[in-house]
Amino acid sequence: SRKQKTTDEIIPRNRKLRAFYDKKRDEGKPYKVAIIACANKLLHWIYALLKSNTTFQDSA
């Protein structure tokens, strides 16, 4: 189920975002609230990239 926490066997595409999602779920946030928080974080990242005119470099 997509609502379950990441196990060691699943490798997320972006570890920072997945860690943020897992943190929100551990705080007791419902699934949809955690997803919206992740979407908001992504929007902030995209805005920062556009504003600074740089490319995304994943540090994972």
Side-chain angles (χ1 to χ4, degrees), residues 36-49:
I36 294 301
C38 289
N40 193 26
K41 184 175 264 308
L42 263 177
L43 285 173
H44 281 92
W45 286 354
I46 292 167
Y47 178 75
L49 290 172

Side-chain angles (χ1 to χ4, degrees), residues 17-54:
L17 196 59
R18 188 60 197 218
F20 181 73
Y21 170 79
D22 289 339
K23 184 182 106 176
K24 290 296 172 190
R25 292 292 285 165
D26 290 342
E27 290 173 0
K29 304 287 184 196
Y31 169 76
K32 287 185 179 181
V33 172
I35 290 295
I36 294 301
C38 289
N40 193 26
K41 184 175 264 308
L42 263 177
L43 285 173
H44 281 92
W45 286 354
I46 292 167
Y47 178 75
L49 290 172
L50 291 173
K51 188 173 180 182
S52 64
N53 199 22
T54 59

